[in-house]
Amino acid sequence: MKSMSSEKLFPETWVDRYSDYLYNYTIVRVNDHEVTQDIISETFLAGLKSRVHFKGEASERTWLTSILKHKIIDHYRKNNSRKGKAEVRMSYSNEDSEGDWLEERVSDPFDKTAEDSMINEELGLAILDCLDKLGGKHAAIFKMKTIDGFDTEAICKEFNITPSNLWVILHRARKSMVDCLEVNWY
Amino acid sequence: MGIFLKCEEANHNCDKAQYKEITFWENVKLQIHLIMCNACRKYTANNNKLSKTIKNAKLVGLPKEQKEKMKELIQKEISK
């Protein structure tokens, strides 16, 4: 059973497949580049440590995101106590009552009121999701050109392809990105 | 290469336009094609929308060195 569940996880691919997704998810909540990187590293490590518990009910990314959420909450807690706030330490009677405290509801980092950034964020995550579905070389090249803004020459060098190869790949990538995102547009 | 493009060429020009790598004449030819071709108009509209969407989302990628560091971290942990 144990080996069954870990077969569904591919930690070697985590960084390539999910780090940008997790980064964009975190940066809007934490608003600090360094802290965000630390949180993502911690998330990957925590994922590795608890990978035997992965049941394969959720997708790999969903599972990592749920770990990430806990890490972000930890960060908020740490931040709050660093401010020297008078704090009464109490632990929950059981796991389920987590989040019952009024304080936590007030400072819920996931409760964003700025609708604009919320829409942007959803959009951004949707794009990254589609990129992941696209997968492999096509996604990597599309990302480099469109999101990171590298020029044609640099990308051709990196992937050892001709400019006309590049444009064919970009064309296919753009088409499938349009198809994938269309769900979110209308 | 006359002034009339095939759809394939028009779409290629449209792709180039998304990265502002289209020349003046390529753009003229594209626009002429678009007047006549419904399918390419649709492709262009979607393509423009995609560019705009990505721009609006203000995505940031993690720097490459950071990714390498994280990969090492994971490798180290796996081989433990």
Side-chain angles (χ1 to χ4, degrees), chain A residues 11-12 15-16 19-20 23-24 33 37 40-41 44-45 48-49 120 123-124 127-128 142-143 145-147 152 158 167 170-171 174-175 177-178 181 185-186, chain B residues 11-12 15-19 21 42-43 46-51 53-54 56-64 66-68 70-71 73-75 77-78 80:
Chain A
E12 305 83 12
V15 176
D16 284 330
S19 62
D20 284 332
Y23 184 86
N24 281 280
H33 179 67
Q37 283 179 0
I40 294 170
S41 296
F44 285 145
L45 287 180
L48 278 172
K49 275 182 192 134
N120 270 345
L123 205 62
I127 291 167
L128 291 170
F142 178 80
K143 216 183 127 271
K145 180 85 178 152
T146 316
I147 296 172
T152 306
E158 167 103 14
W167 286 107
L170 282 176
H171 182 66
R174 295 192 77 91
K175 263 170 122 176
M177 288 299 284
V178 165
L181 283 167
W185 283 347
Y186 303 107
Chain B
N11 287 344
H12 175 53
D15 289 334
K16 278 188 177 172
Q18 304 308 318
Y19 301 98
E21 290 180 29
K42 202 174 166 219
Y43 177 76
N46 279 336
N47 219 0
N48 291 341
K49 213 165 172 183
L50 178 65
S51 294
T53 307
I54 291 173
N56 285 344
K58 295 194 185 70
L59 284 169
V60 257
L62 212 51
K64 216 176 162 186
Q66 280 304 323
K67 286 190 182 176
E68 292 307 318
M70 283 184 194
K71 278 184 193 171
L73 200 73
I74 289 176
Q75 275 307 331
E77 190 66 29
I78 292 174
K80 255 184 197 171

XYZ file of all heavy atoms in Angstrom, chain A residues 11-12 15-16 19-20 23-24 33 37 40-41 44-45 48-49 120 123-124 127-128 142-143 145-147 152 158 167 170-171 174-175 177-178 181 185-186, chain B residues 11-12 15-19 21 42-43 46-51 53-54 56-64 66-68 70-71 73-75 77-78 80:
644
model
N 8.487 13.709 -7.005
C 9.155 14.877 -6.414
C 10.211 15.493 -7.326
O 10.459 16.685 -7.253
C 9.807 14.306 -5.152
C 9.075 13.054 -4.857
C 8.616 12.517 -6.169
N 10.806 14.676 -8.199
C 11.852 15.214 -9.086
C 11.270 16.281 -10.007
O 11.994 17.142 -10.504
C 12.480 14.109 -9.935
C 13.041 12.932 -9.171
C 11.960 11.908 -8.810
O 10.842 12.015 -9.355
O 12.233 11.025 -7.971
N 9.646 20.959 -8.828
C 10.131 22.322 -9.039
C 9.716 22.836 -10.418
O 9.179 23.934 -10.555
C 11.660 22.399 -8.865
C 12.170 23.793 -9.191
C 12.045 22.029 -7.441
N 9.941 22.017 -11.429
C 9.594 22.451 -12.785
C 8.091 22.640 -12.966
O 7.648 23.565 -13.615
C 10.103 21.434 -13.819
C 11.604 21.563 -14.015
O 12.107 22.689 -13.848
O 12.257 20.551 -14.329
N 6.596 25.012 -8.992
C 7.175 26.097 -8.193
C 6.627 27.470 -8.602
O 6.380 28.315 -7.754
C 8.702 26.072 -8.258
O 9.146 26.258 -9.574
N 6.384 27.675 -9.900
C 5.833 28.967 -10.317
C 4.408 29.146 -9.818
O 4.017 30.234 -9.411
C 5.867 29.099 -11.842
C 7.279 29.385 -12.335
O 8.060 29.975 -11.566
O 7.591 29.009 -13.476
N 4.651 29.819 -6.215
C 5.228 31.154 -6.017
C 4.173 32.242 -6.172
O 4.041 33.124 -5.336
C 6.372 31.383 -7.013
C 7.078 32.697 -6.813
C 8.116 32.804 -5.896
C 6.694 33.834 -7.511
C 8.754 34.006 -5.685
C 7.329 35.047 -7.309
C 8.365 35.125 -6.403
O 8.979 36.316 -6.186
N 3.418 32.146 -7.256
C 2.390 33.163 -7.502
C 1.278 33.128 -6.463
O 0.701 34.142 -6.113
C 1.808 33.012 -8.911
C 2.737 33.611 -9.955
O 2.750 34.810 -10.154
N 3.547 32.779 -10.578
N 9.593 38.518 -1.449
C 10.225 37.541 -2.326
C 10.986 36.460 -1.551
O 10.808 35.267 -1.785
C 11.164 38.287 -3.280
C 11.898 37.406 -4.219
N 11.256 36.688 -5.212
C 13.213 37.105 -4.325
C 12.158 35.996 -5.889
N 13.348 36.234 -5.376
N 10.155 32.374 -1.150
C 11.052 31.282 -1.533
C 11.237 30.292 -0.399
O 11.218 29.075 -0.608
C 12.406 31.853 -1.934
C 12.383 32.460 -3.311
C 13.724 33.041 -3.694
O 14.680 32.986 -2.918
N 13.795 33.585 -4.885
N 8.193 28.104 0.027
C 8.060 27.074 -1.004
C 9.032 25.917 -0.749
O 8.668 24.749 -0.859
C 8.251 27.677 -2.405
C 7.106 28.649 -2.694
C 8.277 26.594 -3.466
C 7.297 29.483 -3.916
N 10.265 26.270 -0.377
C 11.225 25.209 -0.045
C 10.701 24.346 1.098
O 10.756 23.118 1.044
C 12.569 25.810 0.368
O 13.142 26.505 -0.701
N 7.990 21.988 -0.120
C 8.505 20.809 -0.822
C 9.058 19.784 0.166
O 8.809 18.580 0.046
C 9.591 21.209 -1.821
C 9.042 21.862 -3.070
C 9.746 22.874 -3.707
C 7.834 21.455 -3.610
C 9.239 23.475 -4.863
C 7.326 22.041 -4.765
C 8.032 23.051 -5.387
N 9.808 20.279 1.156
C 10.390 19.363 2.132
C 9.311 18.664 2.951
O 9.372 17.455 3.177
C 11.346 20.115 3.060
C 12.678 20.525 2.428
C 13.546 21.261 3.437
C 13.425 19.320 1.870
N 7.775 16.019 0.919
C 8.606 14.819 0.841
C 8.477 13.976 2.095
O 8.387 12.753 2.038
C 10.075 15.217 0.663
C 10.520 15.563 -0.747
C 11.930 16.129 -0.721
C 10.462 14.346 -1.640
N 8.463 14.677 3.233
C 8.425 13.955 4.501
C 7.097 13.228 4.683
O 7.046 12.183 5.306
C 8.668 14.928 5.652
C 10.161 15.105 5.871
C 10.484 16.023 7.030
C 11.962 16.374 6.988
N 12.202 17.803 7.184
N -6.945 38.835 -10.654
C -5.631 38.668 -11.256
C -4.980 37.370 -10.836
O -4.368 36.683 -11.633
C -4.713 39.813 -10.840
C -4.797 40.953 -11.813
O -5.321 40.781 -12.913
N -4.307 42.093 -11.421
N -6.617 34.340 -12.328
C -6.222 34.301 -13.730
C -4.815 33.744 -13.862
O -4.552 32.848 -14.671
C -6.265 35.725 -14.277
C -6.457 35.896 -15.759
C -7.785 35.328 -16.178
C -6.383 37.373 -16.104
N -3.933 34.280 -13.047
C -2.540 33.842 -13.098
C -2.412 32.355 -12.823
O -1.704 31.638 -13.532
N -3.631 30.340 -15.731
C -2.644 30.301 -16.810
C -1.580 29.258 -16.515
O -1.226 28.438 -17.368
C -1.987 31.686 -17.000
C -3.010 32.670 -17.563
C -0.795 31.595 -17.935
C -2.568 34.115 -17.492
N -1.091 29.271 -15.283
C -0.049 28.306 -14.915
C -0.571 26.870 -14.961
O 0.149 25.942 -15.319
C 0.496 28.633 -13.528
C 1.301 29.931 -13.462
C 1.607 30.308 -12.033
C 2.584 29.809 -14.255
N 7.181 28.344 -24.375
C 6.142 29.373 -24.345
C 6.328 30.306 -23.151
O 6.219 31.525 -23.254
C 4.760 28.719 -24.272
C 3.629 29.707 -24.185
C 3.164 30.341 -25.321
C 3.037 30.009 -22.968
C 2.132 31.261 -25.247
C 2.014 30.928 -22.882
C 1.552 31.555 -24.029
N 6.659 29.704 -22.025
C 6.841 30.477 -20.803
C 8.032 31.426 -20.928
O 7.955 32.601 -20.573
C 7.071 29.524 -19.633
C 6.441 30.000 -18.358
C 6.755 29.077 -17.221
C 7.334 29.864 -16.079
N 8.754 30.042 -16.062
N 9.369 32.653 -23.549
C 9.140 33.719 -24.523
C 8.077 34.703 -24.025
O 8.242 35.914 -24.124
C 8.692 33.083 -25.852
C 8.408 34.067 -26.958
C 9.663 34.445 -27.706
C 9.334 35.410 -28.840
N 10.449 36.277 -29.164
N 6.988 34.189 -23.498
C 5.826 35.029 -23.227
C 5.831 35.627 -21.833
O 5.462 36.781 -21.652
C 4.528 34.218 -23.419
O 4.648 33.452 -24.606
C 3.329 35.131 -23.521
N 6.230 34.845 -20.853
C 6.162 35.338 -19.478
C 7.501 35.932 -19.035
O 7.564 37.009 -18.467
C 5.698 34.223 -18.524
C 4.272 33.810 -18.907
C 5.733 34.704 -17.075
C 3.764 32.598 -18.190
N 14.030 35.667 -29.055
C 14.039 34.452 -29.868
C 15.404 33.763 -29.877
O 15.502 32.555 -29.692
C 13.629 34.798 -31.308
O 12.380 35.492 -31.242
C 13.471 33.558 -32.162
N 19.200 28.057 -26.128
C 18.953 27.227 -24.950
C 18.388 25.855 -25.330
O 18.758 24.835 -24.764
C 17.980 27.969 -24.022
C 17.386 27.128 -22.916
C 18.043 27.410 -21.580
O 18.757 28.424 -21.474
O 17.834 26.605 -20.646
N 8.828 29.231 -33.758
C 7.526 29.822 -34.071
C 6.443 28.773 -34.212
O 5.290 29.004 -33.862
C 7.618 30.714 -35.313
C 8.306 32.001 -34.997
C 9.564 32.371 -35.363
C 7.783 33.090 -34.216
N 9.868 33.607 -34.858
C 8.791 34.076 -34.154
C 6.576 33.317 -33.552
C 8.625 35.287 -33.467
C 6.410 34.525 -32.872
C 7.422 35.485 -32.830
N 5.577 27.894 -30.671
C 4.797 28.968 -30.056
C 3.364 28.963 -30.574
O 2.412 29.161 -29.825
C 5.436 30.333 -30.357
C 6.660 30.709 -29.526
C 7.214 32.038 -30.008
C 6.311 30.782 -28.047
N 3.228 28.722 -31.879
C 1.890 28.710 -32.477
C 1.024 27.616 -31.846
O -0.112 27.866 -31.438
C 2.014 28.494 -33.987
C 0.697 28.509 -34.689
N -0.082 29.640 -34.768
C 0.019 27.534 -35.335
C -1.183 29.355 -35.435
N -1.158 28.092 -35.789
N 0.233 28.513 -28.219
C -0.772 29.570 -28.094
C -2.162 29.020 -28.354
O -3.125 29.368 -27.675
C -0.469 30.728 -29.046
C 0.810 31.471 -28.733
C 0.881 32.768 -29.515
N 0.020 33.789 -28.926
C 0.444 34.639 -28.002
N 1.679 34.625 -27.583
N -0.406 35.524 -27.500
N -2.240 28.123 -29.353
C -3.540 27.547 -29.667
C -4.081 26.734 -28.499
O -5.248 26.874 -28.126
C -3.445 26.655 -30.901
C -3.867 27.385 -32.170
C -3.531 26.546 -33.351
C -4.699 26.203 -34.234
N -4.203 25.447 -35.410
N -3.221 26.992 -25.401
C -3.481 27.880 -24.264
C -4.838 28.567 -24.412
O -5.576 28.716 -23.444
C -2.383 28.941 -24.141
C -1.048 28.421 -23.640
S -1.124 27.694 -22.003
C -1.214 29.153 -20.974
N -5.142 28.980 -25.637
C -6.447 29.607 -25.886
C -7.566 28.614 -25.580
O -8.531 28.931 -24.877
C -6.554 30.118 -27.338
C -7.999 30.424 -27.712
C -5.693 31.355 -27.530
N -7.784 28.087 -21.773
C -8.243 29.225 -20.979
C -9.658 29.653 -21.313
O -10.294 30.359 -20.546
C -7.296 30.411 -21.168
C -5.980 30.316 -20.409
C -5.015 31.361 -20.896
C -6.217 30.492 -18.910
N -12.707 32.291 -19.666
C -13.004 33.585 -20.256
C -14.491 33.885 -20.338
O -14.922 34.999 -20.242
C -12.388 33.663 -21.651
C -10.924 33.914 -21.628
C -10.200 34.317 -20.542
C -9.996 33.796 -22.694
N -8.887 34.440 -20.885
C -8.726 34.137 -22.198
C -10.109 33.442 -24.039
C -7.590 34.150 -22.995
C -8.978 33.443 -24.835
C -7.733 33.784 -24.306
N -15.264 32.822 -20.576
C -16.680 33.106 -20.832
C -17.587 32.631 -19.709
O -17.187 31.852 -18.907
C -17.089 32.466 -22.167
C -16.255 32.935 -23.303
C -15.303 32.119 -23.888
C -16.373 34.249 -23.758
C -14.516 32.566 -24.935
C -15.583 34.708 -24.800
C -14.648 33.880 -25.388
O -13.863 34.338 -26.394
N -1.449 33.635 -39.820
C -1.377 33.279 -38.403
C 0.039 33.435 -37.851
O 0.223 33.830 -36.704
C -1.863 31.840 -38.196
C -3.367 31.739 -38.348
O -4.066 32.752 -38.316
N -3.866 30.535 -38.537
N 0.996 33.111 -38.701
C 2.388 33.278 -38.275
C 2.676 34.762 -38.005
O 3.283 35.116 -36.991
C 3.328 32.717 -39.341
C 4.775 32.954 -39.047
N 5.355 32.584 -37.844
C 5.757 33.538 -39.759
C 6.627 32.912 -37.856
N 6.903 33.511 -39.010
N 1.126 35.716 -34.786
C 1.941 35.275 -33.646
C 3.093 36.251 -33.397
O 3.366 36.635 -32.263
C 2.515 33.874 -33.898
C 1.438 32.799 -33.832
O 0.433 33.028 -33.152
O 1.619 31.739 -34.468
N 3.741 36.630 -34.504
C 4.850 37.575 -34.376
C 4.380 38.890 -33.759
O 5.072 39.493 -32.945
C 5.438 37.875 -35.748
C 6.419 36.851 -36.264
C 7.013 37.434 -37.521
C 8.080 36.581 -38.142
N 8.452 37.139 -39.463
N 3.189 39.304 -34.168
C 2.650 40.570 -33.660
C 2.481 40.528 -32.148
O 2.644 41.543 -31.464
C 1.314 40.882 -34.337
N 2.191 39.345 -31.606
C 1.996 39.218 -30.155
C 3.268 39.558 -29.386
O 3.225 39.922 -28.226
C 1.557 37.800 -29.778
C 0.306 37.318 -30.486
C -0.839 38.288 -30.351
O -1.077 38.843 -29.279
N -1.545 38.524 -31.453
N 4.405 39.387 -30.066
C 5.675 39.681 -29.410
C 6.310 40.934 -30.003
O 7.500 41.157 -29.860
C 6.615 38.471 -29.551
C 6.030 37.218 -28.939
C 5.388 36.277 -29.741
C 6.091 37.000 -27.570
C 4.825 35.134 -29.184
C 5.539 35.862 -27.020
C 4.909 34.930 -27.819
O 4.353 33.809 -27.264
N 7.152 41.551 -32.918
C 8.255 41.239 -33.816
C 7.781 41.242 -35.255
O 8.368 40.630 -36.130
C 8.863 39.875 -33.449
C 9.617 39.926 -32.135
C 10.238 38.592 -31.738
O 10.570 37.800 -32.629
O 10.374 38.370 -30.522
N -10.855 35.307 -36.191
C -11.144 34.667 -34.915
C -9.839 34.289 -34.203
O -9.676 34.528 -33.001
C -12.004 33.419 -35.133
C -12.744 33.046 -33.885
C -13.713 31.918 -34.105
C -14.140 31.385 -32.744
N -14.261 29.945 -32.715
N -8.925 33.713 -34.981
C -7.631 33.335 -34.389
C -6.938 34.562 -33.811
O -6.423 34.531 -32.694
C -6.729 32.656 -35.433
C -5.367 32.312 -34.873
C -5.208 31.224 -34.027
C -4.259 33.105 -35.149
C -3.977 30.916 -33.483
C -3.020 32.809 -34.605
C -2.881 31.716 -33.775
O -1.657 31.421 -33.223
N -8.572 35.782 -30.555
C -8.198 34.925 -29.427
C -6.748 35.118 -29.014
O -6.422 35.139 -27.832
C -8.418 33.448 -29.786
C -9.865 33.045 -29.620
O -10.598 33.666 -28.868
N -10.272 32.022 -30.337
N -5.907 35.247 -30.033
C -4.483 35.401 -29.781
C -4.199 36.699 -29.017
O -3.430 36.721 -28.064
C -3.742 35.400 -31.119
C -2.428 34.654 -31.039
O -2.062 34.139 -30.001
N -1.712 34.621 -32.147
N -4.868 37.772 -29.450
C -4.717 39.054 -28.751
C -5.194 38.938 -27.311
O -4.582 39.468 -26.385
C -5.515 40.151 -29.453
C -4.912 40.509 -30.803
O -3.755 40.215 -31.069
N -5.713 41.129 -31.658
N -6.301 38.235 -27.155
C -6.879 38.075 -25.839
C -5.915 37.320 -24.918
O -5.752 37.675 -23.752
C -8.175 37.293 -25.971
C -9.228 37.694 -24.980
C -10.518 37.116 -25.462
C -11.632 37.262 -24.481
N -12.849 36.606 -24.984
N -5.305 36.301 -25.476
C -4.337 35.516 -24.695
C -3.184 36.398 -24.214
O -2.811 36.369 -23.039
C -3.806 34.350 -25.532
C -2.752 33.447 -24.872
C -3.337 32.697 -23.682
C -2.182 32.449 -25.883
N -2.660 37.205 -25.129
C -1.550 38.097 -24.752
C -1.965 39.055 -23.649
O -1.234 39.282 -22.693
C -1.085 38.904 -25.956
O -0.518 38.061 -26.903
N -4.427 38.718 -21.517
C -4.679 37.984 -20.271
C -3.385 37.737 -19.513
O -3.310 37.949 -18.307
C -5.331 36.623 -20.583
O -6.471 36.846 -21.386
C -5.739 35.910 -19.319
N -2.391 37.277 -20.252
C -1.119 36.974 -19.600
C -0.479 38.235 -19.041
O 0.066 38.245 -17.942
C -0.178 36.242 -20.574
C -0.731 34.843 -20.839
C 1.243 36.170 -20.030
C -0.018 34.068 -21.900
N -2.100 40.941 -18.062
C -2.886 41.376 -16.910
C -2.598 40.556 -15.661
O -2.690 41.062 -14.547
C -4.381 41.270 -17.213
C -4.843 42.367 -18.136
O -4.141 43.363 -18.319
N -5.997 42.192 -18.739
N -2.285 39.301 -15.854
C -2.087 38.422 -14.698
C -0.784 38.733 -13.967
O -0.604 38.329 -12.832
C -2.106 36.963 -15.134
N 0.090 39.479 -14.621
C 1.370 39.869 -14.007
C 2.052 38.695 -13.328
O 2.409 38.736 -12.151
C 1.156 40.971 -12.984
C 0.662 42.266 -13.589
C 0.792 43.411 -12.593
C 0.201 44.690 -13.126
N -1.276 44.660 -13.211
N 2.237 37.644 -14.092
C 2.869 36.453 -13.529
C 4.349 36.688 -13.292
O 4.999 37.387 -14.051
C 2.717 35.294 -14.503
C 1.356 34.653 -14.548
C 1.267 33.713 -15.723
C 1.082 33.920 -13.264
N 4.827 36.090 -12.227
C 6.270 36.133 -11.992
C 6.798 34.718 -11.884
O 6.207 33.878 -11.224
C 6.621 36.883 -10.689
C 7.131 38.265 -11.006
C 5.433 36.951 -9.758
N 7.883 34.486 -12.536
C 8.508 33.171 -12.425
C 9.581 33.214 -11.361
O 10.154 34.265 -11.079
N 9.830 32.087 -10.779
C 10.917 31.976 -9.812
C 12.239 31.992 -10.584
O 12.340 31.357 -11.618
C 10.744 30.647 -9.078
C 11.168 30.507 -7.633
C 10.575 31.607 -6.781
C 10.713 29.163 -7.113
N 13.238 32.727 -10.102
C 14.519 32.748 -10.814
C 15.125 31.350 -10.938
O 14.912 30.502 -10.073
C 15.406 33.624 -9.930
C 14.507 34.363 -9.041
C 13.253 33.558 -8.901
N 15.866 31.179 -12.033
C 16.398 29.859 -12.354
C 17.312 29.303 -11.258
O 17.248 28.123 -10.922
C 17.180 29.945 -13.668
C 17.037 28.724 -14.518
C 17.740 28.893 -15.842
C 17.956 27.533 -16.496
N 18.760 27.612 -17.704
N 17.241 29.855 -8.144
C 16.433 29.417 -7.007
C 15.842 28.045 -7.256
O 15.780 27.196 -6.372
C 15.319 30.429 -6.737
C 15.776 31.651 -5.969
C 16.429 31.278 -4.661
O 16.016 30.337 -3.998
N 17.477 32.012 -4.284
N 15.393 27.856 -8.506
C 14.811 26.560 -8.841
C 15.856 25.456 -8.724
O 15.565 24.373 -8.224
C 14.257 26.596 -10.264
C 12.974 27.382 -10.373
C 12.337 27.180 -11.727
C 11.086 28.025 -11.817
N 10.452 27.973 -13.121
N 17.065 25.764 -9.187
C 18.129 24.760 -9.102
C 18.407 24.398 -7.650
O 18.574 23.237 -7.306
C 19.413 25.284 -9.770
C 19.311 25.433 -11.283
C 18.842 24.158 -11.986
O 19.310 23.074 -11.613
O 17.984 24.258 -12.892
N 16.348 24.552 -5.155
C 15.250 23.739 -4.638
C 15.343 22.310 -5.137
O 15.062 21.363 -4.408
C 13.914 24.336 -5.055
C 13.523 25.544 -4.242
S 11.898 26.133 -4.706
C 11.920 27.734 -3.915
N 15.749 22.173 -6.397
C 15.895 20.818 -6.947
C 16.946 20.033 -6.169
O 16.755 18.864 -5.853
C 16.304 20.890 -8.422
C 15.137 21.121 -9.351
C 15.596 21.093 -10.798
C 14.503 21.643 -11.695
N 14.971 21.828 -13.075
N 17.858 20.528 -3.147
C 17.285 20.262 -1.827
C 16.431 18.999 -1.866
O 16.548 18.118 -1.006
C 16.428 21.473 -1.430
C 16.097 21.683 0.030
C 17.324 22.169 0.763
C 14.970 22.705 0.165
N 15.601 18.908 -2.889
C 14.709 17.757 -3.020
C 15.510 16.486 -3.288
O 15.274 15.443 -2.669
C 13.678 17.999 -4.145
C 12.668 19.064 -3.696
C 12.949 16.717 -4.513
C 11.660 19.456 -4.751
N 16.495 16.588 -4.175
C 17.323 15.423 -4.480
C 18.008 14.883 -3.227
O 18.058 13.682 -2.998
C 18.393 15.787 -5.525
C 17.925 15.691 -6.964
C 17.299 14.349 -7.312
O 17.637 13.327 -6.735
N 16.355 14.348 -8.249
N 17.064 15.227 -0.195
C 16.081 14.645 0.709
C 15.641 13.262 0.217
O 15.450 12.346 1.016
C 14.878 15.598 0.812
C 13.878 15.245 1.889
C 14.442 15.380 3.301
O 15.344 16.217 3.509
O 13.991 14.633 4.195
N 15.514 13.115 -1.085
C 15.083 11.823 -1.637
C 16.125 10.751 -1.380
O 15.812 9.618 -1.006
C 14.849 11.928 -3.165
C 13.633 12.805 -3.456
C 14.617 10.549 -3.774
C 13.423 13.067 -4.917
N 18.176 10.446 0.915
C 18.467 10.180 2.323
C 18.142 8.752 2.698
O 17.112 8.236 2.282
C 17.651 11.130 3.210
C 18.520 12.235 3.794
C 17.705 13.091 4.749
C 18.413 14.412 5.015
N 17.557 15.334 5.744
